[in-house]
Amino acid sequence: AQSVAQPEDQVNVAEGNPLTVKCTYSVSGNPYLFWYVQYPNRGLQFLLKYISGDNLVKGSYGFEAEFNKSQTSFHLKKPSALVSDSALYFCAVGENAGNMLTFGGGTRLMVKP
Amino acid sequence: NAGVTQTPKFRILKIGQSMTLQCTQDMNHNYMYWYRQDPGMGLKLIYYSVGAGITDKGEVPNGYNVSRSTTEDFPLRLELAAPSQTSVYFCASRTFRLETQYFGPGTRLLVL
């Protein structure tokens, strides 16, 4: 069975500061990992994904994530947060032999001016 | 391309009523998914399909049914609506197994 954990319900950061949203996963095979963002009353929007290759993945809006196999983590990062980054962020994991993604519970990011 | 579209946007049902949530994608994607998102929670997979005529249960299928007669459409049927089915429902699609899922805008359902 596959699972994903986002240990923080909310992350608060000041505008201009770096941000990190944490994600750890568990799969029996090779993982593939996604980050999505959800703005109020909207569907999920894709940010970035890791399938294989370089452990540092760059995505939309200046976000990046680092795949760490030994720690089974895929933390989302951004060097300088914007107020407009405030939203709900979801990490998702799948197994490359499977058809389904499993989503974490989400982390609310609050960026204050 | 319109992407993934869902109708209706919002609906109120009485307990015991039934309804169909519509989902259509115009990207010729093979895989389609139905999720529900409860307040303050993540997404739970209800049903999915890997192609026309093929459907399978996800994590929380009870109380729901699906069909996939065409590549484009993947309706979700609620029979005998219950308050526990109050949620926001998202449809998603993707081309292949490892590719990105694209989500629709969601249907907000309230069962009273």
PDB file of all heavy atoms in Angstrom, chain B residues 72-109:
ATOM      1  N   GLU B  72     -14.411  10.378 -23.522  1.00  0.00           N
ATOM      2  CA  GLU B  72     -14.559  11.740 -23.027  1.00  0.00           C
ATOM      3  C   GLU B  72     -15.308  11.854 -21.699  1.00  0.00           C
ATOM      4  O   GLU B  72     -15.051  12.745 -20.916  1.00  0.00           O
ATOM      5  CB  GLU B  72     -15.307  12.595 -24.064  1.00  0.00           C
ATOM      6  CG  GLU B  72     -14.569  12.808 -25.368  1.00  0.00           C
ATOM      7  CD  GLU B  72     -14.665  11.598 -26.291  1.00  0.00           C
ATOM      8  OE1 GLU B  72     -15.561  10.733 -26.091  1.00  0.00           O
ATOM      9  OE2 GLU B  72     -13.825  11.498 -27.204  1.00  0.00           O
ATOM     10  N   ASP B  73     -16.261  10.971 -21.459  1.00  0.00           N
ATOM     11  CA  ASP B  73     -17.194  11.156 -20.343  1.00  0.00           C
ATOM     12  C   ASP B  73     -17.015  10.120 -19.247  1.00  0.00           C
ATOM     13  O   ASP B  73     -16.835   8.926 -19.526  1.00  0.00           O
ATOM     14  CB  ASP B  73     -18.637  11.103 -20.849  1.00  0.00           C
ATOM     15  CG  ASP B  73     -18.918  12.172 -21.879  1.00  0.00           C
ATOM     16  OD1 ASP B  73     -18.658  13.351 -21.585  1.00  0.00           O
ATOM     17  OD2 ASP B  73     -19.400  11.820 -22.979  1.00  0.00           O
ATOM     18  N   PHE B  74     -17.161  10.582 -18.012  1.00  0.00           N
ATOM     19  CA  PHE B  74     -17.008   9.678 -16.859  1.00  0.00           C
ATOM     20  C   PHE B  74     -17.965  10.153 -15.764  1.00  0.00           C
ATOM     21  O   PHE B  74     -17.566  10.768 -14.793  1.00  0.00           O
ATOM     22  CB  PHE B  74     -15.559   9.705 -16.369  1.00  0.00           C
ATOM     23  CG  PHE B  74     -15.225   8.644 -15.359  1.00  0.00           C
ATOM     24  CD1 PHE B  74     -15.699   7.343 -15.478  1.00  0.00           C
ATOM     25  CD2 PHE B  74     -14.386   8.936 -14.289  1.00  0.00           C
ATOM     26  CE1 PHE B  74     -15.352   6.370 -14.567  1.00  0.00           C
ATOM     27  CE2 PHE B  74     -14.037   7.975 -13.363  1.00  0.00           C
ATOM     28  CZ  PHE B  74     -14.510   6.685 -13.495  1.00  0.00           C
ATOM     29  N   PRO B  75     -19.265   9.861 -15.901  1.00  0.00           N
ATOM     30  CA  PRO B  75     -20.239  10.324 -14.914  1.00  0.00           C
ATOM     31  C   PRO B  75     -20.182   9.533 -13.617  1.00  0.00           C
ATOM     32  O   PRO B  75     -19.904   8.325 -13.620  1.00  0.00           O
ATOM     33  CB  PRO B  75     -21.577  10.111 -15.634  1.00  0.00           C
ATOM     34  CG  PRO B  75     -21.298   9.021 -16.611  1.00  0.00           C
ATOM     35  CD  PRO B  75     -19.883   9.184 -17.039  1.00  0.00           C
ATOM     36  N   LEU B  76     -20.466  10.220 -12.522  1.00  0.00           N
ATOM     37  CA  LEU B  76     -20.516   9.616 -11.189  1.00  0.00           C
ATOM     38  C   LEU B  76     -21.952   9.664 -10.707  1.00  0.00           C
ATOM     39  O   LEU B  76     -22.562  10.727 -10.641  1.00  0.00           O
ATOM     40  CB  LEU B  76     -19.622  10.393 -10.218  1.00  0.00           C
ATOM     41  CG  LEU B  76     -19.612   9.915  -8.764  1.00  0.00           C
ATOM     42  CD1 LEU B  76     -18.890   8.574  -8.648  1.00  0.00           C
ATOM     43  CD2 LEU B  76     -18.936  10.959  -7.865  1.00  0.00           C
ATOM     44  N   ARG B  77     -22.491   8.525 -10.349  1.00  0.00           N
ATOM     45  CA  ARG B  77     -23.878   8.411  -9.925  1.00  0.00           C
ATOM     46  C   ARG B  77     -23.953   8.212  -8.420  1.00  0.00           C
ATOM     47  O   ARG B  77     -23.258   7.350  -7.867  1.00  0.00           O
ATOM     48  CB  ARG B  77     -24.531   7.218 -10.640  1.00  0.00           C
ATOM     49  CG  ARG B  77     -25.965   6.946 -10.273  1.00  0.00           C
ATOM     50  CD  ARG B  77     -26.897   7.890 -10.989  1.00  0.00           C
ATOM     51  NE  ARG B  77     -28.300   7.571 -10.708  1.00  0.00           N
ATOM     52  CZ  ARG B  77     -29.316   8.366 -11.012  1.00  0.00           C
ATOM     53  NH1 ARG B  77     -29.101   9.529 -11.630  1.00  0.00           N
ATOM     54  NH2 ARG B  77     -30.557   8.010 -10.735  1.00  0.00           N
ATOM     55  N   LEU B  78     -24.781   9.034  -7.774  1.00  0.00           N
ATOM     56  CA  LEU B  78     -25.071   8.865  -6.361  1.00  0.00           C
ATOM     57  C   LEU B  78     -26.490   8.323  -6.226  1.00  0.00           C
ATOM     58  O   LEU B  78     -27.443   8.933  -6.718  1.00  0.00           O
ATOM     59  CB  LEU B  78     -24.999  10.189  -5.604  1.00  0.00           C
ATOM     60  CG  LEU B  78     -23.649  10.702  -5.149  1.00  0.00           C
ATOM     61  CD1 LEU B  78     -22.831  11.186  -6.338  1.00  0.00           C
ATOM     62  CD2 LEU B  78     -23.821  11.821  -4.140  1.00  0.00           C
ATOM     63  N   GLU B  79     -26.635   7.186  -5.622  1.00  0.00           N
ATOM     64  CA  GLU B  79     -27.945   6.611  -5.343  1.00  0.00           C
ATOM     65  C   GLU B  79     -28.245   6.789  -3.855  1.00  0.00           C
ATOM     66  O   GLU B  79     -27.366   6.588  -3.025  1.00  0.00           O
ATOM     67  CB  GLU B  79     -27.961   5.124  -5.682  1.00  0.00           C
ATOM     68  CG  GLU B  79     -27.542   4.774  -7.097  1.00  0.00           C
ATOM     69  CD  GLU B  79     -28.632   5.040  -8.112  1.00  0.00           C
ATOM     70  OE1 GLU B  79     -29.737   5.501  -7.719  1.00  0.00           O
ATOM     71  OE2 GLU B  79     -28.400   4.788  -9.305  1.00  0.00           O
ATOM     72  N   LEU B  80     -29.452   7.168  -3.540  1.00  0.00           N
ATOM     73  CA  LEU B  80     -29.871   7.285  -2.132  1.00  0.00           C
ATOM     74  C   LEU B  80     -28.900   8.161  -1.345  1.00  0.00           C
ATOM     75  O   LEU B  80     -28.184   7.695  -0.456  1.00  0.00           O
ATOM     76  CB  LEU B  80     -29.964   5.895  -1.479  1.00  0.00           C
ATOM     77  CG  LEU B  80     -30.968   4.932  -2.101  1.00  0.00           C
ATOM     78  CD1 LEU B  80     -30.874   3.552  -1.448  1.00  0.00           C
ATOM     79  CD2 LEU B  80     -32.390   5.510  -1.961  1.00  0.00           C
ATOM     80  N   ALA B  81     -28.862   9.439  -1.697  1.00  0.00           N
ATOM     81  CA  ALA B  81     -27.915  10.364  -1.090  1.00  0.00           C
ATOM     82  C   ALA B  81     -28.038  10.390   0.430  1.00  0.00           C
ATOM     83  O   ALA B  81     -29.150  10.350   0.992  1.00  0.00           O
ATOM     84  CB  ALA B  81     -28.132  11.764  -1.654  1.00  0.00           C
ATOM     85  N   ALA B  82     -26.883  10.479   1.090  1.00  0.00           N
ATOM     86  CA  ALA B  82     -26.810  10.531   2.543  1.00  0.00           C
ATOM     87  C   ALA B  82     -25.994  11.755   2.957  1.00  0.00           C
ATOM     88  O   ALA B  82     -25.140  12.226   2.189  1.00  0.00           O
ATOM     89  CB  ALA B  82     -26.147   9.263   3.077  1.00  0.00           C
ATOM     90  N   PRO B  83     -26.230  12.286   4.170  1.00  0.00           N
ATOM     91  CA  PRO B  83     -25.455  13.456   4.626  1.00  0.00           C
ATOM     92  C   PRO B  83     -23.948  13.232   4.566  1.00  0.00           C
ATOM     93  O   PRO B  83     -23.194  14.188   4.365  1.00  0.00           O
ATOM     94  CB  PRO B  83     -25.949  13.651   6.058  1.00  0.00           C
ATOM     95  CG  PRO B  83     -27.329  13.090   6.063  1.00  0.00           C
ATOM     96  CD  PRO B  83     -27.284  11.910   5.133  1.00  0.00           C
ATOM     97  N   SER B  84     -23.508  11.985   4.732  1.00  0.00           N
ATOM     98  CA  SER B  84     -22.070  11.692   4.687  1.00  0.00           C
ATOM     99  C   SER B  84     -21.474  11.928   3.300  1.00  0.00           C
ATOM    100  O   SER B  84     -20.239  11.961   3.156  1.00  0.00           O
ATOM    101  CB  SER B  84     -21.807  10.242   5.099  1.00  0.00           C
ATOM    102  OG  SER B  84     -22.465   9.348   4.212  1.00  0.00           O
ATOM    103  N   GLN B  85     -22.329  12.095   2.300  1.00  0.00           N
ATOM    104  CA  GLN B  85     -21.844  12.361   0.951  1.00  0.00           C
ATOM    105  C   GLN B  85     -21.728  13.857   0.648  1.00  0.00           C
ATOM    106  O   GLN B  85     -21.371  14.239  -0.467  1.00  0.00           O
ATOM    107  CB  GLN B  85     -22.735  11.672  -0.083  1.00  0.00           C
ATOM    108  CG  GLN B  85     -22.642  10.150  -0.006  1.00  0.00           C
ATOM    109  CD  GLN B  85     -23.563   9.462  -0.977  1.00  0.00           C
ATOM    110  OE1 GLN B  85     -24.770   9.712  -1.004  1.00  0.00           O
ATOM    111  NE2 GLN B  85     -23.004   8.575  -1.783  1.00  0.00           N
ATOM    112  N   THR B  86     -22.004  14.672   1.637  1.00  0.00           N
ATOM    113  CA  THR B  86     -21.741  16.105   1.513  1.00  0.00           C
ATOM    114  C   THR B  86     -20.244  16.301   1.365  1.00  0.00           C
ATOM    115  O   THR B  86     -19.464  15.897   2.237  1.00  0.00           O
ATOM    116  CB  THR B  86     -22.255  16.856   2.747  1.00  0.00           C
ATOM    117  OG1 THR B  86     -23.676  16.794   2.775  1.00  0.00           O
ATOM    118  CG2 THR B  86     -21.814  18.312   2.725  1.00  0.00           C
ATOM    119  N   SER B  87     -19.844  16.902   0.254  1.00  0.00           N
ATOM    120  CA  SER B  87     -18.422  17.004  -0.043  1.00  0.00           C
ATOM    121  C   SER B  87     -18.243  17.833  -1.309  1.00  0.00           C
ATOM    122  O   SER B  87     -19.214  18.266  -1.931  1.00  0.00           O
ATOM    123  CB  SER B  87     -17.825  15.603  -0.241  1.00  0.00           C
ATOM    124  OG  SER B  87     -16.409  15.652  -0.295  1.00  0.00           O
ATOM    125  N   VAL B  88     -16.990  18.047  -1.675  1.00  0.00           N
ATOM    126  CA  VAL B  88     -16.661  18.606  -2.985  1.00  0.00           C
ATOM    127  C   VAL B  88     -16.077  17.481  -3.817  1.00  0.00           C
ATOM    128  O   VAL B  88     -15.165  16.775  -3.373  1.00  0.00           O
ATOM    129  CB  VAL B  88     -15.669  19.772  -2.881  1.00  0.00           C
ATOM    130  CG1 VAL B  88     -15.378  20.327  -4.265  1.00  0.00           C
ATOM    131  CG2 VAL B  88     -16.211  20.862  -1.970  1.00  0.00           C
ATOM    132  N   TYR B  89     -16.618  17.319  -5.017  1.00  0.00           N
ATOM    133  CA  TYR B  89     -16.217  16.214  -5.878  1.00  0.00           C
ATOM    134  C   TYR B  89     -15.386  16.750  -7.042  1.00  0.00           C
ATOM    135  O   TYR B  89     -15.792  17.675  -7.737  1.00  0.00           O
ATOM    136  CB  TYR B  89     -17.453  15.482  -6.405  1.00  0.00           C
ATOM    137  CG  TYR B  89     -18.175  14.753  -5.308  1.00  0.00           C
ATOM    138  CD1 TYR B  89     -19.102  15.407  -4.497  1.00  0.00           C
ATOM    139  CD2 TYR B  89     -17.918  13.404  -5.061  1.00  0.00           C
ATOM    140  CE1 TYR B  89     -19.748  14.741  -3.466  1.00  0.00           C
ATOM    141  CE2 TYR B  89     -18.562  12.727  -4.044  1.00  0.00           C
ATOM    142  CZ  TYR B  89     -19.475  13.405  -3.242  1.00  0.00           C
ATOM    143  OH  TYR B  89     -20.113  12.734  -2.229  1.00  0.00           O
ATOM    144  N   PHE B  90     -14.224  16.123  -7.227  1.00  0.00           N
ATOM    145  CA  PHE B  90     -13.333  16.512  -8.316  1.00  0.00           C
ATOM    146  C   PHE B  90     -13.144  15.353  -9.284  1.00  0.00           C
ATOM    147  O   PHE B  90     -12.931  14.211  -8.874  1.00  0.00           O
ATOM    148  CB  PHE B  90     -11.970  16.919  -7.781  1.00  0.00           C
ATOM    149  CG  PHE B  90     -11.969  18.227  -7.043  1.00  0.00           C
ATOM    150  CD1 PHE B  90     -11.932  18.253  -5.658  1.00  0.00           C
ATOM    151  CD2 PHE B  90     -12.005  19.431  -7.733  1.00  0.00           C
ATOM    152  CE1 PHE B  90     -11.936  19.451  -4.964  1.00  0.00           C
ATOM    153  CE2 PHE B  90     -12.011  20.636  -7.048  1.00  0.00           C
ATOM    154  CZ  PHE B  90     -11.987  20.642  -5.675  1.00  0.00           C
ATOM    155  N   CYS B  91     -13.199  15.695 -10.548  1.00  0.00           N
ATOM    156  CA  CYS B  91     -12.875  14.762 -11.609  1.00  0.00           C
ATOM    157  C   CYS B  91     -11.488  15.117 -12.134  1.00  0.00           C
ATOM    158  O   CYS B  91     -11.106  16.299 -12.159  1.00  0.00           O
ATOM    159  CB  CYS B  91     -13.926  14.874 -12.713  1.00  0.00           C
ATOM    160  SG  CYS B  91     -13.673  13.769 -14.098  1.00  0.00           S
ATOM    161  N   ALA B  92     -10.739  14.118 -12.545  1.00  0.00           N
ATOM    162  CA  ALA B  92      -9.402  14.360 -13.083  1.00  0.00           C
ATOM    163  C   ALA B  92      -9.146  13.387 -14.226  1.00  0.00           C
ATOM    164  O   ALA B  92      -9.782  12.335 -14.316  1.00  0.00           O
ATOM    165  CB  ALA B  92      -8.337  14.203 -12.003  1.00  0.00           C
ATOM    166  N   SER B  93      -8.199  13.737 -15.076  1.00  0.00           N
ATOM    167  CA  SER B  93      -7.844  12.846 -16.177  1.00  0.00           C
ATOM    168  C   SER B  93      -6.358  12.950 -16.471  1.00  0.00           C
ATOM    169  O   SER B  93      -5.707  13.945 -16.112  1.00  0.00           O
ATOM    170  CB  SER B  93      -8.652  13.182 -17.442  1.00  0.00           C
ATOM    171  OG  SER B  93      -8.205  14.395 -18.027  1.00  0.00           O
ATOM    172  N   ARG B  94      -5.820  11.927 -17.117  1.00  0.00           N
ATOM    173  CA  ARG B  94      -4.437  11.977 -17.571  1.00  0.00           C
ATOM    174  C   ARG B  94      -4.248  11.002 -18.718  1.00  0.00           C
ATOM    175  O   ARG B  94      -5.047  10.096 -18.919  1.00  0.00           O
ATOM    176  CB  ARG B  94      -3.461  11.665 -16.446  1.00  0.00           C
ATOM    177  CG  ARG B  94      -3.593  10.301 -15.838  1.00  0.00           C
ATOM    178  CD  ARG B  94      -2.520  10.094 -14.793  1.00  0.00           C
ATOM    179  NE  ARG B  94      -2.732   8.893 -14.013  1.00  0.00           N
ATOM    180  CZ  ARG B  94      -1.860   8.414 -13.139  1.00  0.00           C
ATOM    181  NH1 ARG B  94      -0.716   9.035 -12.946  1.00  0.00           N
ATOM    182  NH2 ARG B  94      -2.122   7.310 -12.464  1.00  0.00           N
ATOM    183  N   THR B  95      -3.156  11.182 -19.460  1.00  0.00           N
ATOM    184  CA  THR B  95      -2.917  10.376 -20.650  1.00  0.00           C
ATOM    185  C   THR B  95      -2.439   8.980 -20.288  1.00  0.00           C
ATOM    186  O   THR B  95      -3.041   7.991 -20.671  1.00  0.00           O
ATOM    187  CB  THR B  95      -1.865  11.040 -21.543  1.00  0.00           C
ATOM    188  OG1 THR B  95      -2.236  12.390 -21.768  1.00  0.00           O
ATOM    189  CG2 THR B  95      -1.763  10.315 -22.868  1.00  0.00           C
ATOM    190  N   PHE B  96      -1.344   8.911 -19.574  1.00  0.00           N
ATOM    191  CA  PHE B  96      -0.745   7.630 -19.227  1.00  0.00           C
ATOM    192  C   PHE B  96      -0.486   7.566 -17.737  1.00  0.00           C
ATOM    193  O   PHE B  96      -0.638   8.540 -17.026  1.00  0.00           O
ATOM    194  CB  PHE B  96       0.584   7.447 -19.980  1.00  0.00           C
ATOM    195  CG  PHE B  96       0.456   7.470 -21.459  1.00  0.00           C
ATOM    196  CD1 PHE B  96       0.999   8.508 -22.196  1.00  0.00           C
ATOM    197  CD2 PHE B  96      -0.214   6.462 -22.134  1.00  0.00           C
ATOM    198  CE1 PHE B  96       0.876   8.547 -23.558  1.00  0.00           C
ATOM    199  CE2 PHE B  96      -0.337   6.494 -23.498  1.00  0.00           C
ATOM    200  CZ  PHE B  96       0.211   7.537 -24.218  1.00  0.00           C
ATOM    201  N   ARG B  97      -0.063   6.438 -17.285  1.00  0.00           N
ATOM    202  CA  ARG B  97       0.047   6.151 -15.873  1.00  0.00           C
ATOM    203  C   ARG B  97       0.943   7.127 -15.138  1.00  0.00           C
ATOM    204  O   ARG B  97       0.641   7.545 -14.024  1.00  0.00           O
ATOM    205  CB  ARG B  97       0.583   4.728 -15.674  1.00  0.00           C
ATOM    206  CG  ARG B  97       0.585   4.258 -14.242  1.00  0.00           C
ATOM    207  CD  ARG B  97       1.093   2.846 -14.175  1.00  0.00           C
ATOM    208  NE  ARG B  97       0.246   1.926 -14.909  1.00  0.00           N
ATOM    209  CZ  ARG B  97       0.688   0.995 -15.743  1.00  0.00           C
ATOM    210  NH1 ARG B  97       1.969   0.877 -15.973  1.00  0.00           N
ATOM    211  NH2 ARG B  97      -0.147   0.181 -16.333  1.00  0.00           N
ATOM    212  N   LEU B  98       2.043   7.527 -15.728  1.00  0.00           N
ATOM    213  CA  LEU B  98       3.002   8.370 -15.019  1.00  0.00           C
ATOM    214  C   LEU B  98       2.813   9.854 -15.295  1.00  0.00           C
ATOM    215  O   LEU B  98       3.541  10.675 -14.776  1.00  0.00           O
ATOM    216  CB  LEU B  98       4.437   7.960 -15.383  1.00  0.00           C
ATOM    217  CG  LEU B  98       4.815   6.528 -15.035  1.00  0.00           C
ATOM    218  CD1 LEU B  98       6.277   6.294 -15.400  1.00  0.00           C
ATOM    219  CD2 LEU B  98       4.583   6.256 -13.569  1.00  0.00           C
ATOM    220  N   GLU B  99       1.865  10.174 -16.067  1.00  0.00           N
ATOM    221  CA  GLU B  99       1.692  11.567 -16.452  1.00  0.00           C
ATOM    222  C   GLU B  99       0.851  12.337 -15.438  1.00  0.00           C
ATOM    223  O   GLU B  99       0.190  11.764 -14.571  1.00  0.00           O
ATOM    224  CB  GLU B  99       1.055  11.661 -17.836  1.00  0.00           C
ATOM    225  CG  GLU B  99       1.974  11.210 -18.949  1.00  0.00           C
ATOM    226  CD  GLU B  99       3.241  12.044 -18.993  1.00  0.00           C
ATOM    227  OE1 GLU B  99       3.113  13.283 -18.907  1.00  0.00           O
ATOM    228  OE2 GLU B  99       4.336  11.471 -19.107  1.00  0.00           O
ATOM    229  N   THR B 100       0.877  13.652 -15.577  1.00  0.00           N
ATOM    230  CA  THR B 100       0.184  14.547 -14.655  1.00  0.00           C
ATOM    231  C   THR B 100      -1.326  14.398 -14.771  1.00  0.00           C
ATOM    232  O   THR B 100      -1.854  14.291 -15.874  1.00  0.00           O
ATOM    233  CB  THR B 100       0.574  15.991 -14.981  1.00  0.00           C
ATOM    234  OG1 THR B 100       1.992  16.110 -14.867  1.00  0.00           O
ATOM    235  CG2 THR B 100      -0.113  16.976 -14.050  1.00  0.00           C
ATOM    236  N   GLN B 101      -1.998  14.410 -13.623  1.00  0.00           N
ATOM    237  CA  GLN B 101      -3.462  14.449 -13.622  1.00  0.00           C
ATOM    238  C   GLN B 101      -3.921  15.905 -13.721  1.00  0.00           C
ATOM    239  O   GLN B 101      -3.391  16.773 -13.034  1.00  0.00           O
ATOM    240  CB  GLN B 101      -4.017  13.840 -12.334  1.00  0.00           C
ATOM    241  CG  GLN B 101      -3.903  12.328 -12.269  1.00  0.00           C
ATOM    242  CD  GLN B 101      -4.664  11.740 -11.102  1.00  0.00           C
ATOM    243  OE1 GLN B 101      -5.569  12.359 -10.556  1.00  0.00           O
ATOM    244  NE2 GLN B 101      -4.307  10.522 -10.716  1.00  0.00           N
ATOM    245  N   TYR B 102      -4.923  16.137 -14.554  1.00  0.00           N
ATOM    246  CA  TYR B 102      -5.517  17.461 -14.689  1.00  0.00           C
ATOM    247  C   TYR B 102      -6.906  17.421 -14.070  1.00  0.00           C
ATOM    248  O   TYR B 102      -7.690  16.526 -14.370  1.00  0.00           O
ATOM    249  CB  TYR B 102      -5.590  17.871 -16.154  1.00  0.00           C
ATOM    250  CG  TYR B 102      -4.230  18.090 -16.749  1.00  0.00           C
ATOM    251  CD1 TYR B 102      -3.563  17.064 -17.410  1.00  0.00           C
ATOM    252  CD2 TYR B 102      -3.590  19.317 -16.626  1.00  0.00           C
ATOM    253  CE1 TYR B 102      -2.302  17.249 -17.934  1.00  0.00           C
ATOM    254  CE2 TYR B 102      -2.333  19.516 -17.157  1.00  0.00           C
ATOM    255  CZ  TYR B 102      -1.690  18.476 -17.800  1.00  0.00           C
ATOM    256  OH  TYR B 102      -0.439  18.668 -18.307  1.00  0.00           O
ATOM    257  N   PHE B 103      -7.181  18.414 -13.240  1.00  0.00           N
ATOM    258  CA  PHE B 103      -8.402  18.415 -12.452  1.00  0.00           C
ATOM    259  C   PHE B 103      -9.448  19.370 -13.014  1.00  0.00           C
ATOM    260  O   PHE B 103      -9.114  20.428 -13.560  1.00  0.00           O
ATOM    261  CB  PHE B 103      -8.099  18.819 -11.010  1.00  0.00           C
ATOM    262  CG  PHE B 103      -7.466  17.727 -10.205  1.00  0.00           C
ATOM    263  CD1 PHE B 103      -6.112  17.461 -10.315  1.00  0.00           C
ATOM    264  CD2 PHE B 103      -8.239  16.940  -9.367  1.00  0.00           C
ATOM    265  CE1 PHE B 103      -5.530  16.433  -9.580  1.00  0.00           C
ATOM    266  CE2 PHE B 103      -7.665  15.921  -8.620  1.00  0.00           C
ATOM    267  CZ  PHE B 103      -6.307  15.670  -8.731  1.00  0.00           C
ATOM    268  N   GLY B 104     -10.697  18.995 -12.828  1.00  0.00           N
ATOM    269  CA  GLY B 104     -11.801  19.891 -13.114  1.00  0.00           C
ATOM    270  C   GLY B 104     -12.012  20.848 -11.957  1.00  0.00           C
ATOM    271  O   GLY B 104     -11.358  20.744 -10.921  1.00  0.00           O
ATOM    272  N   PRO B 105     -12.963  21.797 -12.109  1.00  0.00           N
ATOM    273  CA  PRO B 105     -13.179  22.831 -11.094  1.00  0.00           C
ATOM    274  C   PRO B 105     -13.936  22.348  -9.869  1.00  0.00           C
ATOM    275  O   PRO B 105     -13.975  23.052  -8.867  1.00  0.00           O
ATOM    276  CB  PRO B 105     -13.979  23.898 -11.847  1.00  0.00           C
ATOM    277  CG  PRO B 105     -14.698  23.121 -12.899  1.00  0.00           C
ATOM    278  CD  PRO B 105     -13.778  22.019 -13.309  1.00  0.00           C
ATOM    279  N   GLY B 106     -14.548  21.174  -9.944  1.00  0.00           N
ATOM    280  CA  GLY B 106     -15.233  20.615  -8.784  1.00  0.00           C
ATOM    281  C   GLY B 106     -16.728  20.840  -8.793  1.00  0.00           C
ATOM    282  O   GLY B 106     -17.233  21.775  -9.428  1.00  0.00           O
ATOM    283  N   THR B 107     -17.430  19.951  -8.101  1.00  0.00           N
ATOM    284  CA  THR B 107     -18.866  20.074  -7.843  1.00  0.00           C
ATOM    285  C   THR B 107     -19.068  20.035  -6.340  1.00  0.00           C
ATOM    286  O   THR B 107     -18.652  19.087  -5.677  1.00  0.00           O
ATOM    287  CB  THR B 107     -19.663  18.918  -8.492  1.00  0.00           C
ATOM    288  OG1 THR B 107     -19.586  19.010  -9.912  1.00  0.00           O
ATOM    289  CG2 THR B 107     -21.123  18.971  -8.055  1.00  0.00           C
ATOM    290  N   ARG B 108     -19.702  21.068  -5.817  1.00  0.00           N
ATOM    291  CA  ARG B 108     -19.981  21.125  -4.375  1.00  0.00           C
ATOM    292  C   ARG B 108     -21.364  20.551  -4.132  1.00  0.00           C
ATOM    293  O   ARG B 108     -22.355  21.034  -4.703  1.00  0.00           O
ATOM    294  CB  ARG B 108     -19.919  22.563  -3.882  1.00  0.00           C
ATOM    295  CG  ARG B 108     -20.002  22.708  -2.368  1.00  0.00           C
ATOM    296  CD  ARG B 108     -19.757  24.167  -1.965  1.00  0.00           C
ATOM    297  NE  ARG B 108     -18.446  24.613  -2.366  1.00  0.00           N
ATOM    298  CZ  ARG B 108     -17.343  24.485  -1.645  1.00  0.00           C
ATOM    299  NH1 ARG B 108     -17.403  23.898  -0.450  1.00  0.00           N
ATOM    300  NH2 ARG B 108     -16.186  24.945  -2.078  1.00  0.00           N
ATOM    301  N   LEU B 109     -21.438  19.510  -3.325  1.00  0.00           N
ATOM    302  CA  LEU B 109     -22.696  18.818  -3.066  1.00  0.00           C
ATOM    303  C   LEU B 109     -23.040  18.901  -1.584  1.00  0.00           C
ATOM    304  O   LEU B 109     -22.204  18.605  -0.726  1.00  0.00           O
ATOM    305  CB  LEU B 109     -22.597  17.348  -3.482  1.00  0.00           C
ATOM    306  CG  LEU B 109     -23.826  16.480  -3.202  1.00  0.00           C
ATOM    307  CD1 LEU B 109     -25.004  16.954  -4.040  1.00  0.00           C
ATOM    308  CD2 LEU B 109     -23.525  15.018  -3.475  1.00  0.00           C
TER     309      LEU B 109
END
